[in-house]
Amino acid sequence: ITAGSAIAAPAVSNTNVKFTSLLGESEVLGSSDTSWSAIAALTAPLGEKWGLQVEAGASGFDDNNGFGGAAHVFRRDPDKYLAGVFISHASIDDADITATRLGVEGELYFEKISILAAAGYQTSDDLGDSAFGGIELRVYATDDFVLSAGGSVLEDTSYGRIGAEWRIAPGSLPGVALRAEAALGEDDMSSVMGGLTVYLGEDATLKDRHRSQDPDSALFNQFQGLQAQGGAAGPQPVIQCIVQCVPLD
């Protein structure tokens, strides 16, 4: 694990807002169509060692639209780890699917590697109650280029994904990164996506943004899990186009 200074850095470097929109092509059960998502997240410090994130967003596949929200409370040392709890709620209106998740999340930081994991319990009158879990490995080839691989399990549904993110021009375009991901799961679920990430505000490397600003989105993960579990509702695309505004103070 990377060496820290005598005084640990704060859990959240500064109050920040992130707006995320996603667009791509997904397929499940032989049905293929354009998928989209939009989400906003506010992350703020709670003292030096703790942070808070709130999320709200929407998602769509074909004619099925979903909406949801989430909240995280976490403790973090940006040189070593993140540990927290979260709650999220999402629904896909046209498919009549709603679910609430309560879980724990953790991240471990090494010099060139991050390990992210989340697990908890989902309650749903439409899908039944079940445990869920997921893990992701991120490898930083440089501080501005990361490769990722992971997977998620929800009762009898599972899917894996791989991805990459690259901040292409730190000097001339410090807030712009290219992103690509592919997902493959059961019931003929697949998704191959590409996108653009735009960060606005205080300059930082891609690795520092991942470790000192907002944690991984619980809402995106729930949208993806609900749509994979809901069958005809379709899988959630996994490419993000992010606008992040920092600081607010």
Side-chain angles (χ1 to χ4, degrees), residues 139-148 163-171 173-181 195-199 204-207 209-210 239-240:
V139 178
Y140 293 87
T142 73
D143 286 353
D144 288 310
F145 180 69
V146 60
L147 298 170
S148 62
E165 187 175 4
W166 176 32
R167 195 167 73 128
I168 55 176
L173 297 170
V176 177
L178 298 179
R179 190 178 181 102
E181 286 199 35
L196 183 69
T197 301
V198 179
Y199 300 94
T205 67
L206 194 61
K207 184 169 76 171
R209 292 183 189 278
H210 291 167
I239 290 306
Q240 303 182 10

Side-chain angles (χ1 to χ4, degrees), residues 59-183:
S59 172
F61 175 80
D62 196 6
D63 293 326
N64 294 299
N65 297 316
F67 305 91
H72 311 241
V73 176
F74 56 91
R75 181 184 176 97
R76 177 164 60 188
D77 179 340
D79 291 324
K80 298 178 180 179
Y81 71 91
L82 176 148
V85 296
F86 66 90
I87 185 171
S88 62
H89 178 82
S91 64
I92 302 175
D93 290 346
D94 295 333
D96 294 324
I97 298 172
T98 63
T100 300
R101 287 184 174 187
L102 180 64
V104 296
E105 58 190 343
E107 302 178 2
L108 291 176
Y109 307 138
F110 301 88
E111 179 63 28
K112 296 293 185 180
I113 293 174
S114 293
I115 302 172
L116 292 71
Y121 199 72
Q122 175 176 288
T123 60
S124 172
D125 292 336
D126 309 297
L127 300 172
D129 300 344
S130 64
F132 68 88
I135 191 167
E136 179 176 312
L137 173 69
R138 294 177 179 172
V139 178
Y140 293 87
T142 73
D143 286 353
D144 288 310
F145 180 69
V146 60
L147 298 170
S148 62
S152 296
V153 176
L154 177 61
E155 199 173 25
D156 58 354
T157 300
S158 61
Y159 53 92
R161 56 187 179 269
I162 58 174
E165 187 175 4
W166 176 32
R167 195 167 73 128
I168 55 176
S172 57
L173 297 170
V176 177
L178 298 179
R179 190 178 181 102
E181 286 199 35

Side-chain angles (χ1 to χ4, degrees), residues 221-233:
N221 293 336
Q222 184 169 14
F223 278 147
Q224 187 175 47
L226 271 183
Q227 292 178 329
Q229 192 178 27

Side-chain angles (χ1 to χ4, degrees), residues 16-100:
N16 62 87
V17 174
K18 179 173 69 178
F19 300 99
T20 306
S21 64
L22 297 82
L23 181 66
E25 190 80 8
S26 300
E27 180 176 354
V28 69
L29 296 176
S31 176
S32 178
D33 210 319
T34 299
S35 300
W36 63 269
S37 286
I39 194 167
L42 169 68
T43 306
L46 297 176
E48 287 294 311
K49 297 181 179 180
W50 293 84
L52 168 70
Q53 183 190 71
V54 292
E55 304 179 66
S59 172
F61 175 80
D62 196 6
D63 293 326
N64 294 299
N65 297 316
F67 305 91
H72 311 241
V73 176
F74 56 91
R75 181 184 176 97
R76 177 164 60 188
D77 179 340
D79 291 324
K80 298 178 180 179
Y81 71 91
L82 176 148
V85 296
F86 66 90
I87 185 171
S88 62
H89 178 82
S91 64
I92 302 175
D93 290 346
D94 295 333
D96 294 324
I97 298 172
T98 63
T100 300

